[in-house]
Amino acid sequence: MPRRPQLPSFVGYSRVSTSEQSLMGLSLMAQQDAIRAYAGDAGSGLVSLHEDIRSGAGDPMLRPDFRDALKTAEQQKCPILVTSVDRLGRDLRVYDVLVERHIPVWVCGEGKITRRELKLRLRAASDWLLQRSILAAAAQANRSPAQRKKSVPDLPDARRRGALKNMGRAAERDMKLFRVLDDTPGFLGLPRKDLAAVLNQQLHFNIVDQSGRQREWTVRSVGGLRQRYRQHLQEQSDLDSWET
């Protein structure tokens, strides 16, 4: 008679930032109720349940309760259970920590998710945070100089706003160009001068600034693009090898 598979036990983790506490469905109590219910239905219950009231941005290891959840999951060889991946954080360093420690992630209502899906969702959460920062910076730009100085006394507003917007535009540009290179792999073997010429001729320009001016690719800038694309390919290859 075949043995029944042993049901997993879980380490539950819930998190809200200060600004999220009042949002429907994101409260700690709502998350924890969902975690307890799912752990009982899909597994053998919870080993422990941890909570954080901290932003998901930045280094996740600076969150003591997240560190405690990781430690318990490692010791008990249990997966971490959350209501959604963005509760783990909005930074790709979360992915690195979980993979390094071989800790699986389960999501309530879905079950265990793959490393590929984990990384995709964390990247989406990180992009959401970046876009929110860009919008906040744009709103800041519409305030009077006195208001801007009062709200950000130690950081020049123009520099902060420009850096955030440039990050967003550069990330969006890279993803578009990566798709072009995926569709035409022969481009990667071209000399940098020729690759820059081809991209410019096909109107795949570099960053477009706020004034609408288009920057053409140069030998130097296209070299950086190829390096980032190779890193992107290596990252995808690593994900494939981990999954198999």
Side-chain angles (χ1 to χ4, degrees):
M1 182 175 179
R3 298 177 62 183
R4 295 181 61 185
Q6 185 176 359
L7 294 177
S9 298
F10 299 100
V11 172
Y13 179 76
S14 57
R15 182 190 64 80
V16 293
S17 67
T18 304
S19 61
E20 291 173 333
Q21 289 185 70
S22 61
L23 297 181
M24 185 177 297
L26 282 179
S27 71
L28 287 174
M29 184 176 294
Q31 291 178 55
Q32 291 168 2
D33 287 346
I35 287 171
R36 289 190 185 96
Y38 187 81
D41 291 340
S44 57
L46 293 173
V47 173
S48 59
L49 181 56
H50 307 261
E51 65 178 49
D52 260 325
I53 304 178
R54 291 173 178 264
S55 169
D59 187 349
M61 300 307 288
L62 296 179
R63 287 184 259 139
D65 290 283
F66 182 72
R67 293 200 306 269
D68 289 345
L70 292 177
K71 183 177 180 181
T72 303
E74 276 190 296
Q75 291 175 341
Q76 301 296 323
K77 295 183 172 19
C78 293
I80 284 183
L81 176 63
V82 290
T83 55
S84 64
V85 168
D86 62 4
R87 296 304 88 201
L88 293 168
R90 298 184 184 275
D91 191 293
L92 282 174
R93 281 174 286 190
V94 173
Y95 175 85
D96 296 332
V97 168
L98 292 168
V99 169
E100 180 183 352
R101 297 169 186 241
H102 305 286
I103 299 175
V105 173
W106 286 51
V107 175
C108 293
E110 297 183 50
K112 181 181 178 181
I113 62 172
T114 66
R115 286 176 172 172
R116 179 184 291 277
E117 185 64 24
L118 175 62
K119 191 159 197 174
L120 288 174
R121 295 192 195 186
L122 284 170
R123 180 175 284 125
S126 176
D127 290 344
W128 175 88
L129 189 64
L130 174 62
Q131 290 300 318
R132 193 179 71 167
S133 299
I134 292 171
L135 292 174
Q140 179 79 355
N142 295 325
R143 307 174 78 180
S144 69
Q147 289 175 318
R148 293 200 300 269
K149 184 176 181 181
K150 182 178 180 181
S151 61
V152 195
D154 299 323
L155 185 63
D157 180 70
R159 182 181 299 173
R160 177 178 181 272
R161 185 173 67 253
L164 287 170
K165 289 184 176 179
N166 283 340
M167 287 171 61
R169 286 197 296 268
E172 183 178 359
R173 172 211 60 199
D174 276 0
M175 293 311 298
K176 289 180 179 178
L177 266 295
F178 290 170
R179 287 193 288 270
V180 171
L181 295 173
D182 285 340
D183 294 337
T184 51
F187 280 2
L188 201 61
L190 293 174
R192 287 188 295 178
K193 182 178 179 180
D194 294 342
L195 178 56
V198 168
L199 293 178
N200 293 329
Q201 288 170 4
Q202 295 188 1
L203 305 182
H204 298 301
F205 291 111
N206 204 333
I207 292 177
V208 178
D209 65 19
Q210 289 177 301
S211 303
R213 292 189 296 267
Q214 296 171 329
R215 298 181 185 176
E216 292 193 343
W217 289 100
T218 64
V219 171
R220 180 176 180 180
S221 61
V222 86
L225 172 67
R226 288 204 306 189
Q227 182 178 3
R228 293 191 297 276
Y229 179 64
R230 289 193 176 101
Q231 291 172 345
H232 167 74
L233 291 179
Q234 183 60 51
E235 180 180 280
Q236 296 306 308
S237 175
D238 290 344
L239 284 171
D240 292 338
S241 64
W242 281 330
E243 290 305 328
T244 56

